[in-house]
């Protein structure tokens, strides 16, 4: 049926089919199609059936409150489980599903919109205070806002390509059609075509502009503090990675020596929401041995290296080669050391210069933790599938095998594309291209799946020698990630990223790290989780309980509508059961008959106590039916009386 | 202009120029802009781009509305707060067909946000408006807006037709037992007095000697003939009973709820006092006490209702009431006080009045925390 155009100012209610289509679109994009079909059917069923729920304003208020509480619970669970940005995206992806009770209430209640008081506590308060009338405010339609939510939620999974835009444009045009000005068919068509054309050009422009701005901004903000507890990867991001060529490090090896290929900043051991987190990491003040020597361990041989690195707010995480044995630095005021031998220094000035002695054969020997073996459930199957290629390989050979496999079958790329499933599984099975964070993450998780404790390390790759500077330099875009595996009682670097990557790594930038920096405090809080599984289970139960309460309160509302007469609205003028029963006996109270006369008349056929009982129940009944202040009838007594009146006819006495 | 006023004006402007659908698109565009700020993480920026383009193109497609008409508004004099009522707008010489034309009424109130009400065409000439005023007092409307949307139904273009109107909105009615005041007929059949002025009635009480200045038509000629000197007929002097109804508004301006109850009570009391038989002095306490007299030949009940309905809270002024009452007290039979609260100042006022022999009935608009005097009436 063609929807009739409205004047454009009446309550804008989404036409039948639109919300269902939007839900299906969401399901298609997010990979939850079966669930989306369920949602779509629930949303569109009221257009096909006549059955409606009797939903009162108070029920609506409860419903929105419960929905809000459910939303808050989901948000808290996500916040404790994931980082701020990742958690917010997942929350938004599920927001239309969380808020689904609202459009369902509107559609199943046959309402033009939801009462303002249901959606706003301010309105409820003003109503309670008598500042607003109890009714008469225009209802708020939630179907169109819900359509917007489905679209935005579908966008959170980042479906690049023309399909998302085309589908969004189609759904929006569908939404606009019933709202058009009456008689403006052709003008509407032209206008909407112009708008979609402009929107198409606009979104390309936005994308390009942001890349330009980020490149510019990353040069401004590349002196960030690095978060030793968390690093977000660009895994799952799409499009071209950003770049910055600012020089970050200057490394001076001893004359005639080559510097190590990798300088590690910190290691991380827990992978979730495309980010790596360090759990149970504590930085302890390192005991200082002499004014010059900040820290040393193990043997006294090795190679010396001088490194100059930028400081931010007078501190930084030092970049160190694997197997560091001694550290010296004149300007360092304080050195803090963690178990993974990452070092945080406090120093004055813009930059810090330090000397480090290292021997790569003496890798870090801090014992692996339980978290160094954890593999996320979502990735487990695909990792096992990959490992099944080498069924009986010894652990010591696995790094070399993996490196060879990655180099043979994978390609380094900073242009990221999407596939189905998790970003990592898409990388391993479909796209087979990615940047160092993909390779490092995949290697760590593959090693762990094979029973080898492994960590994710981030830092810089040294590849460029600057004759002008007389030093090896590392630019922002040379930041690198690799794996560390626990082999033969020490941590060994395992870098599986195909070589020559820095030639292509021309576009890595710091927009992402700005987010890392701003989320520092948040993540420290997020690091604190007493028991994640218990928390998740409790939250899940709470959400289920809330859903139960929502359904129960709606069903109760429906039951009440059939069980009890409505207080508001028109009063039925038909006689009540008691009045009818008395009329059947010719003993009803006549119009205008004084109570005294009626009592006398009843007294002729019944004993006085029964007469009093009948009069009392009649008055109660009248009060319930007609008194604006309300009243209740003793239903049990009424039923008994009706039975007695039916079974024992009156007799004169 | 304060920020609050600016925001309110902008809200009215927005509601006039943007349809509800337009509001949804605008909010959607803002949400999409926030969510899509990083174009590499979500594709919400594409939705933003689409919505922004829709808003922009719709704005550009808006054409000026040129329409003229004469309009008459059949607005009632009174309405009740929170109760919907309807009235009719009649148009003549409308220069364009009504298809696609929308109508809006904009009601202004001195102490409440402006309210925008949509009218609906019932025929080519007539439109009906249903409105439920949210605040008591005087609401004004200067013009009627004729609007048309752009082809997408997002923005509106307006044309205002001048049509001044005024509506008195009374608070929701209260049921109050009538005050038991002296000087009223009780238990006898009532009736309207035929007298239309204050002064002598036709009730003859006797004869007396003529005094210079007595009107000639009062001379009793038969008596003159019998006695030989001029005598005049003397009639009963008649005066109206005079009551004072005092509304206490000594409240902080934001405490509207209590004042509303007091106003509703004052209106209920004023309607129960028969203005044909009595004079009613209405006093509204404020920095300067408003004092008006209603009765036969004076202000009438609708005037009282209008004044009461538009009473606003004014802190201070209980002292000014003392002086006003003092000058009037000798002529008053009874005073009905409608107070917003009960405290020592007000207790003192009542005591002073009682000491001067006036009957005082007191109604209080707040539930008393401790038990007050037995003669205190609580406003329900």
């Amino acid at each position: 049926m063609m929807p009739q155009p409205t004047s454009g100012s009446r309550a804008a209610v989404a036409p039948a089919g639109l919300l269902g289509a939007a839900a299906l679109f969401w399901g298609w994009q997010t990979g939850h199609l079966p669930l989306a079909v369920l949602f779509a059917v629930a949303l569109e069923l009221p257009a096909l059936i006549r059955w409606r729920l009797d939903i009162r304003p108070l029920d609506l208020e409860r419903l929105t409150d419960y929905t809000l509480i459910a939303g808050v619970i989901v948000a808290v669970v996500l916040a404790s489980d994931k980082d701020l940005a990742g958690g917010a995206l997942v929350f938004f992806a599920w927001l239309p599903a969380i808020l689904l009770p609202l459009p369902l209430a509107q559609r199943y209640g046959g309402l033009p919109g939801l009462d303002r008081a249901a959606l706003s506590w301010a309105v409820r308060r003003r109503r309670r205070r008598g500042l607003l009338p109890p009714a008469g405010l225009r209802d708020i339609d939630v179907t169109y806002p819900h359509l917007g939510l489905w679209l935005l939620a579908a966008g959170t999974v980042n479906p690049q390509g023309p399909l998302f835009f085309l589908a969004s444009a189609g759904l929006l045009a569908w939404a606009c059609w019933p709202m058009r000005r009456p008689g403006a068919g052709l003008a509407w068509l032209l206008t909407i075509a112009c708008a979609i054309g402009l929107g198409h050009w606009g979104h390309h422009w936005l994308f390009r502009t942001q890349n330009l701005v980020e490149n510019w901004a990353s040069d401004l903000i590349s002196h960030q503090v690095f978060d030793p507890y968390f690093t977000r990867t660009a895994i799952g991001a799409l499009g071209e990675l950003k770049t910055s060529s600012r020089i970050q490090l200057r490394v001076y090896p001893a004359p005639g020596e080559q510097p190590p290929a990798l300088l590690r900043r910190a290691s991380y051991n827990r992978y979730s929401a495309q980010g790596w987190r360090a759990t149970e990491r504590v930085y302890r003040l390192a005991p200082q041995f002499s004014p010059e020597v900040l820290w040393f361990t193990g043997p006294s041989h090795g190679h010396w290296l001088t490194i100059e690195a930028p400081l931010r707010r007078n501190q930084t995480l030092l970049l160190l080669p694997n197997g560091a044995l001694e550290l010296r630095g004149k300007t360092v005021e304080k050195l803090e050391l963690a178990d993974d031998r990452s070092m945080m220094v406090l120093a004055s000035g813009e930059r810090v210069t330090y000397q480090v002695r290292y021997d790569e054969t003496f890798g870090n020997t801090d014992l692996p933790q339980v978290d160094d073996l954890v593999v996320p459930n979502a990735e487990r199957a695909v990792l096992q599938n990959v490992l099944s290629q080498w069924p009986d390989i010894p652990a010591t050979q696995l790094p070399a095998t993996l490196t060879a496999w990655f180099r043979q079958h994978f390609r380094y790329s900073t242009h990221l594309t999407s596939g189905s499933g998790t970003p990592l599984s898409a990388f391993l099975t479909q796209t087979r291209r990615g940047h160092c964070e993909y390779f490092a993450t995949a290697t760590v998780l593959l090693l762990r799946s094979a029973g080898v404790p492994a960590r994710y390390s981030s830092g810089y790759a040294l590849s460029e020698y600057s004759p002008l500077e007389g030093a090896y330099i590392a630019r922002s875009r040379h930041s690198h990630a690799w794996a560390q595996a626990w082999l033969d009682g020490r941590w060994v670097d395992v870098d599986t990223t195909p070589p020559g990557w820095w030639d292509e790594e021309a576009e890595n930038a710091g927009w992402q790290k700005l987010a890392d920096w701003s989320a520092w405090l948040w993540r420290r809080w997020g690091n604190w989780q007493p028991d994640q599984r218990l928390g998740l289970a409790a939250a899940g139960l709470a959400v289920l309980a809330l859903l139960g309460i929502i359904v129960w309160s709606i069903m109760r509302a429906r039951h009440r509508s059939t069980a009890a007469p409505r207080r508001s609205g028109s009063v039925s003028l038909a006689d009540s059961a008691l009045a009818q029963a008395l009329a059947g006996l010719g003993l009803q109270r006549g119009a205008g008959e004084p109570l005294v006369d009626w009592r006398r008349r009843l007294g002729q056929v019944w004993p006085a106590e029964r007469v009093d009982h009948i009069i009392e129940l009649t008055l109660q009944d009248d009060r319930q039916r007609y008194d604006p202040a309300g009243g209740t009838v003793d239903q049990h007594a009424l039923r008994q009386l009706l039975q007695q009146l039916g079974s024992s006819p009156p007799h004169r006495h | 202009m304060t920020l609050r006023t600016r925001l309110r004006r902008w809200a009215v402007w927005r509601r006039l120029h943007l349809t509800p659908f337009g509001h949804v698109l605008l909010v959607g565009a803002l949400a999409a802009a926030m969510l899509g700020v990083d174009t590499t993480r979500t594709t919400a920026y594409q939705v933003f781009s689409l919505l922004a383009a829709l808003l922009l193109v719709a704005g550009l497609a808006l054409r000026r509305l040129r329409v003229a008409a004469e309009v008459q508004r059949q607005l009632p004099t009174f309405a009740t707060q929170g109760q919907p009522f309807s009235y009719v707008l009649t148009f003549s010489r409308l220069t364009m067909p009504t298809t696609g034309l929308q109508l809006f009424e904009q009601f202004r109130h001195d102490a409440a946000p402006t309210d925008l009400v949509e009218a609906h065409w019932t025929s080519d000439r007539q439109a009906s408006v249903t409105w439920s005023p949210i605040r008591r007092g005087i609401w004004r409307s200067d013009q009627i807006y004729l609007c048309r949307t752009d082809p997408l139904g997002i923005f509106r273009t307006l044309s205002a037709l001048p049509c001044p109107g005024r509506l008195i909105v009374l608070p929701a009615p209260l049921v109050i037992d009538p005050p038991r005041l002296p000087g009223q007929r009780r238990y006898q059949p009532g009736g309207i007095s035929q007298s239309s002025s204050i002064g002598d009635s036709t009730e003859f009480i006797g004869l007396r000697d003529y005094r210079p200045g007595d009107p000639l038509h009062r001379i009793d000629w038969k008596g003159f003939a019998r006695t030989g000197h001029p005598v005049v007929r003397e009639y009963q002097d008649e005066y109206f009973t005079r009551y004072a109804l005092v509304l206490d508004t000594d409240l902080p301006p934001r405490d509207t709820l209590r004042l509303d109850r007091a106003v509703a009570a004052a209106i209920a009391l004023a309607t129960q006092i028969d203005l044909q038989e009595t004079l009613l002095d209405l006093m509204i306490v404020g920095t300067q006490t408003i004092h008006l007299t209603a009765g036969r030949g004076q202000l009438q009940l609708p005037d009282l209702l209008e004044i009461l309905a538009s009473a606003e809270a004014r802190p201070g002024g209980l002292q000014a009431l003392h002086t006003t009452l003092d000058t009037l007290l000798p002529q008053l039979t009874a005073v009905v006080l409608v107070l917003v609260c009960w405290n020592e100042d007000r207790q003192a006022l009542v005591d002073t009045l009682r000491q001067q022999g006036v009957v005082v009935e007191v109604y209080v608009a707040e539930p008393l925390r401790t038990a007050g005097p037995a003669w205190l009436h609580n406003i329900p």
Side-chain angles (χ1 to χ4, degrees):
Chain A
M1 191 183 72
M2 185 76 79
Q4 291 300 309
T6 69
S7 65
S9 65
R10 283 185 208 125
V13 179
L18 180 58
L19 276 189
L24 290 176
F25 174 59
W26 171 85
W28 174 42
Q29 293 295 335
T30 56
H32 301 295
L33 200 57
L35 200 61
V37 170
L38 214 67
F39 292 159
V41 169
L43 280 166
E44 296 306 334
L45 199 62
L48 305 173
I49 58 171
R50 280 195 188 165
W51 176 80
R52 289 289 179 271
L53 281 170
D54 179 29
I55 300 179
R56 316 274 172 82
L58 197 64
D59 299 326
L60 277 182
E61 287 181 19
R62 282 206 203 109
L63 184 73
T64 46
D65 289 350
Y66 295 147
T67 310
L68 183 74
I69 295 169
V72 169
I73 291 173
V74 173
V76 168
V77 170
L78 287 174
S80 62
D81 185 36
K82 298 178 189 302
D83 67 300
L84 180 62
L89 282 184
V90 176
F91 176 73
F92 218 92
W94 284 98
L95 192 59
I98 295 169
L99 297 182
L100 194 65
L102 302 185
L104 287 183
Q106 181 176 334
R107 294 211 149 162
Y108 282 92
L111 307 168
L114 298 191
D115 187 30
R116 255 159 217 266
L119 300 174
S120 158
W121 283 338
V123 170
R124 287 185 212 172
R125 198 172 55 242
R126 295 186 69 195
R127 276 210 179 137
R128 269 202 304 276
R129 293 183 59 200
L131 300 176
L132 280 178
L137 290 181
R138 193 156 37 164
D139 294 332
I140 296 178
D141 163 67
V142 291
T143 54
Y144 268 124
H146 205 246
L147 167 72
L149 278 183
W150 285 122
L151 280 186
L152 292 178
T156 55
V157 290
N158 213 5
Q160 297 285 346
L163 225 52
F164 178 80
F165 182 84
L166 283 177
S168 305
L171 286 170
L172 278 176
W174 186 357
C176 285
W177 174 250
M179 292 295 131
R180 70 193 184 277
R181 187 174 73 209
L186 190 63
W188 181 87
L189 208 63
L190 283 174
T191 324
I192 201 96
C194 282
I196 291 175
L198 185 66
H200 188 254
W201 175 81
H203 91 263
H204 279 302
W205 180 82
L206 278 174
F207 189 79
R208 289 220 320 265
T209 309
Q210 186 180 347
N211 275 352
L212 284 176
V213 171
E214 280 182 5
N215 279 340
W216 171 75
S218 66
D219 280 348
L220 288 182
I221 48 136
S222 54
H223 287 295
Q224 63 266 60
V225 173
F226 293 96
D227 186 341
Y229 301 101
F230 186 86
T231 181
R232 191 165 75 179
T233 68
I235 291 174
L238 293 174
E240 208 67 45
L241 279 182
K242 292 132 286 194
T243 65
S244 171
S245 296
R246 179 183 281 263
I247 296 173
Q248 295 290 338
L249 285 184
R250 289 167 184 83
V251 179
Y252 306 90
E257 289 186 4
Q258 287 285 319
L262 301 170
L263 292 177
R264 189 177 61 100
R265 181 178 279 119
S267 300
Y268 304 89
N269 54 7
R270 185 182 282 180
Y271 177 70
S272 70
Q274 284 93 55
W276 279 95
R277 183 172 293 168
T279 55
E280 298 173 12
R281 161 133 348 136
V282 183
Y283 280 87
R284 293 190 186 86
L285 202 61
Q288 196 164 350
F289 298 92
S290 72
E292 277 187 17
V293 180
L294 294 167
W295 170 82
F296 87 94
T297 183
S300 56
H301 62 271
H303 316 282
W304 279 98
L305 204 61
T306 302
I307 301 173
E308 185 192 291
L311 282 172
R312 176 76 173 170
R313 296 188 180 172
N314 294 340
Q315 59 178 3
T316 190
L317 272 170
L318 292 184
L319 285 144
L320 299 168
N322 194 17
L325 299 170
E326 183 178 337
L327 181 74
R328 296 178 182 218
K330 284 180 184 165
T331 56
V332 173
E333 290 165 11
K334 198 171 91 176
L335 172 73
E336 288 178 334
L337 192 67
D339 288 336
D340 72 332
R341 277 199 207 162
S342 61
M343 299 186 192
M344 174 95 79
V345 292
L346 193 73
S348 52
E350 291 278 327
R351 313 183 71 78
V352 61
T353 304
Y354 53 96
Q355 292 80 40
V356 57
R357 183 168 55 81
Y358 71 99
D359 184 348
E360 287 181 326
T361 54
F362 284 85
N364 299 345
T365 51
D366 57 299
L367 291 175
Q369 308 286 322
V370 177
D371 276 340
D372 293 326
L373 276 166
V374 171
V375 178
N377 285 333
E379 317 286 0
R380 193 160 283 165
V382 71
L383 293 170
Q384 288 297 346
N385 197 23
V386 170
L387 281 176
S388 63
Q389 300 175 58
W390 313 288
D392 297 310
I393 192 168
T396 47
Q397 286 178 23
L398 195 57
T401 311
L402 284 177
T403 311
W405 182 66
F406 277 121
R407 289 183 183 183
Q408 193 179 346
H409 298 289
F410 287 70
R411 208 154 62 76
Y412 184 85
S413 171
T414 52
H415 183 83
L416 308 175
T417 51
S418 67
S420 64
T422 65
L424 199 68
S425 66
F427 164 73
L428 282 172
T429 58
Q430 296 160 34
T431 61
R432 296 210 163 192
R433 49 195 279 176
H435 53 91
C436 57
E437 290 170 338
Y438 277 99
F439 288 98
T441 304
T443 307
V444 171
L445 297 182
L446 281 167
L447 286 166
R448 287 180 178 183
S449 299
V452 180
R455 290 170 178 171
Y456 175 93
S457 295
S458 78
Y460 280 95
L462 277 180
S463 64
E464 190 180 350
Y465 181 76
S466 164
L468 192 69
E469 302 261 356
Y472 283 87
I473 55 169
R475 299 180 186 275
S476 291
R477 66 167 191 264
H478 294 148
S479 63
H480 191 44
W482 62 95
Q484 280 197 322
W486 177 259
L487 293 169
D488 299 324
R490 66 190 182 99
W491 291 99
V492 181
D493 285 340
V494 182
D495 186 4
T496 54
T497 308
W501 57 271
W502 42 80
D503 298 335
E504 203 185 330
E505 186 87 274
E507 293 163 289
N508 249 329
W511 187 261
Q512 199 134 347
K513 284 167 186 161
L514 172 71
D516 280 359
W517 180 69
S518 66
W520 161 281
L521 280 177
W522 177 260
R523 276 162 207 148
R524 296 211 50 173
W525 178 82
N527 223 21
W528 174 83
Q529 300 164 59
D531 189 336
Q532 196 180 333
R533 268 189 221 161
L534 194 70
L536 277 172
L541 278 178
V543 170
L544 274 180
L546 270 172
L547 280 177
I549 293 173
I550 290 172
V551 171
W552 171 76
S553 67
I554 291 181
M555 294 314 285
R556 200 183 54 132
R558 183 167 169 265
H559 172 74
R560 197 175 49 212
S561 76
T562 52
R566 291 187 75 142
R567 167 66 50 209
S568 58
S570 60
V571 173
S572 165
L573 292 175
D575 285 337
S576 70
L578 180 57
Q580 281 174 4
L582 288 170
L585 304 169
L587 285 170
Q588 81 275 28
R589 187 175 171 186
E593 181 179 25
L595 200 60
V596 184
D597 292 356
W598 187 44
R599 179 191 290 273
R600 195 177 300 129
R601 205 147 60 80
L602 293 179
Q604 291 171 358
V605 292
W606 280 311
E609 59 268 30
R610 173 173 276 198
V611 171
D612 287 344
H613 190 51
I614 289 172
I615 289 177
E616 177 56 33
L617 280 175
T618 308
L619 291 179
Q620 280 182 11
D621 195 34
D622 286 352
R623 265 199 296 279
Q624 193 205 21
R625 283 153 58 80
Y626 304 117
D627 189 347
T632 51
V633 183
D634 186 347
Q635 294 289 344
H636 179 67
L638 185 65
R639 268 198 302 277
Q640 274 190 338
L641 179 68
L642 286 173
Q643 277 175 1
Q644 287 168 6
L645 290 182
S647 59
S648 62
H651 59 276
R652 293 192 177 273
H653 66 119
Chain B
M1 199 188 302
T2 61
L3 182 68
R4 196 186 166 90
T5 323
R6 273 172 198 272
L7 283 177
R8 275 189 181 167
R9 282 197 182 177
W10 184 68
V12 171
W13 184 93
R14 212 187 53 212
R15 282 185 58 200
L16 267 175
H17 288 82
L18 205 59
T19 62
F21 182 58
H23 276 93
V24 172
L25 291 191
L26 185 67
V27 173
L30 292 176
M34 281 194 285
L35 195 68
V37 72
D38 186 349
T39 56
T40 59
R41 281 196 92 76
T42 77
T43 40
Y45 72 98
Q46 299 189 6
V47 179
F48 165 74
S49 175
L50 264 174
L51 292 175
L54 277 175
L55 289 166
L56 186 71
V57 171
L60 291 175
L62 205 60
R63 279 185 301 130
R64 208 172 146 191
L65 178 66
R66 293 171 193 278
V67 61
E70 282 175 14
V71 58
Q72 276 191 323
R73 188 196 278 115
Q74 290 154 25
L75 201 61
T77 316
F78 292 102
T80 307
Q81 180 182 351
Q83 296 289 321
F85 71 99
S86 299
Y87 60 91
V88 173
L89 297 169
T90 310
F91 291 81
S92 53
R93 287 188 254 179
L94 192 63
T95 55
M96 64 183 293
T98 58
T99 322
L101 266 191
Q102 293 164 25
L103 280 169
F104 282 97
E105 277 273 40
Q106 184 183 351
F107 284 102
R108 289 180 296 104
H109 188 286
D110 289 339
T114 302
D115 204 358
L116 209 60
V117 192
E118 189 179 359
H120 297 283
W121 293 103
T122 50
S123 71
D124 285 350
R125 294 282 174 86
Q126 283 198 327
S128 107
V129 187
T130 302
W131 183 40
S132 168
I134 55 164
R135 182 80 199 270
R136 67 174 169 81
I138 314 282
W139 288 86
R140 288 186 177 81
S141 173
D142 303 326
Q143 49 211 355
I144 283 163
Y145 291 106
L146 280 169
C147 317
R148 194 178 53 188
T149 66
D150 64 80
L152 297 182
I154 294 173
F155 292 104
R156 294 192 192 103
T157 172
L158 309 178
S159 177
L161 301 178
C163 179
R166 187 167 174 277
L167 178 76
I168 301 163
V169 176
L170 303 176
L174 267 185
V175 179
I176 282 193
D177 290 337
R180 301 179 71 82
L181 301 173
Q184 285 179 321
R185 291 182 170 185
R186 262 182 238 123
Y187 310 124
Q188 291 97 352
I192 299 169
S193 168
Q194 296 302 308
S195 159
S196 62
S197 61
I198 303 170
D200 297 345
S201 74
T202 51
E203 190 72 26
F204 174 76
I205 53 172
L207 297 169
R208 64 164 169 78
D209 288 348
Y210 174 82
R211 286 196 296 250
D214 279 339
L216 281 182
H217 71 264
R218 287 276 177 90
I219 292 174
D220 188 64
W221 297 107
K222 289 177 182 166
F224 193 178
R226 274 201 298 275
T227 58
H229 61 268
V231 287
V232 291
R233 282 192 289 260
E234 199 175 27
Y235 297 92
Q236 172 73 48
D237 279 352
E238 270 200 4
Y239 295 98
F240 285 111
T241 337
R242 192 162 186 175
Y243 303 131
L245 174 62
V246 180
L247 174 65
D248 173 15
T249 58
D250 186 359
L251 265 181
R254 289 185 63 81
D255 203 351
T256 48
L257 186 63
R258 249 195 303 173
L259 185 63
D260 282 355
R261 286 169 45 158
V263 167
I267 287 177
L269 291 166
T271 50
Q272 292 182 44
I273 293 171
D274 185 359
L275 295 179
Q276 295 297 320
E277 299 284 352
T278 53
L279 283 179
L280 182 64
D281 285 289
L282 175 66
M283 295 180 201
I284 297 180
V285 178
T287 37
Q288 234 183 345
T289 304
I290 297 170
H291 175 208
L292 302 149
T293 307
R296 202 185 289 186
Q298 307 276 330
L299 293 180
Q300 293 303 305
L301 187 61
D303 308 311
L304 286 190
L305 294 185
E306 177 179 344
I307 293 155
L308 281 171
S310 50
E312 294 297 333
R314 297 174 203 200
L318 214 59
Q319 193 54 43
L321 177 70
H322 273 281
T323 28
T324 318
L325 273 177
D326 275 348
T327 53
L328 260 179
L329 218 50
Q331 301 164 40
L332 289 177
T333 316
V335 175
V336 182
L337 287 173
V338 182
L339 302 177
V340 287
C341 62
W342 184 244
N343 55 20
E344 287 173 1
D345 290 347
R346 288 164 171 88
Q347 168 99 55
L349 172 72
V350 174
D351 290 344
T352 318
L353 291 173
R354 291 224 159 115
Q355 279 161 15
Q356 299 188 38
V358 185
V359 174
V360 184
E361 289 278 320
V362 186
Y363 293 80
V364 182
E366 75 169 359
L368 297 180
R369 289 195 191 90
T370 52
W375 39 263
L376 217 54
H377 303 288
N378 271 328
I379 296 170

